[in-house]
Amino acid sequence: MKILKIFQYAYIVFAILFLWDAISNWTVDRNRSYMSLFFVALALFMFFFRKRFTKKFQDRNKE
């Protein structure tokens, strides 16, 4: 179960990396920046989805 929590927080790290990529390439290539921002949104969605899924899984095991 601990490995799943590590991967859960890896999505936050990827979101930060893609945000940095989007900001650094904003003036050079806007299309690449938009794609990076899409991946930021996707990574944040996956973080909250996995967090909710993990909580449901733990609550189900407690019963």
Side-chain angles (χ1 to χ4, degrees):
M1 262 329 256
K2 288 193 178 217
I3 193 86
L4 292 177
K5 285 198 175 202
I6 292 171
F7 282 119
Q8 175 182 333
Y9 288 104
Y11 287 118
I12 294 293
V13 172
F14 284 122
I16 292 169
L17 290 174
F18 281 120
L19 183 62
W20 177 77
D21 184 54
I23 292 170
S24 66
N25 289 319
W26 187 259
T27 58
V28 177
D29 187 10
R30 287 262 170 108
N31 289 330
R32 182 175 174 178
S33 294
Y34 290 139
M35 185 62 82
S36 293
L37 289 174
F38 170 74
F39 284 127
V40 168
L42 182 65
L44 290 175
F45 170 77
M46 286 301 296
F47 169 75
F48 289 113
F49 178 77
R50 295 289 293 184
K51 188 173 181 178
R52 184 173 170 221
F53 181 77
T54 303
K55 186 177 181 201
K56 281 186 177 183
F57 188 72
Q58 288 174 349
D59 289 344
R60 191 178 75 190
N61 282 341
K62 286 180 183 178
E63 294 178 359

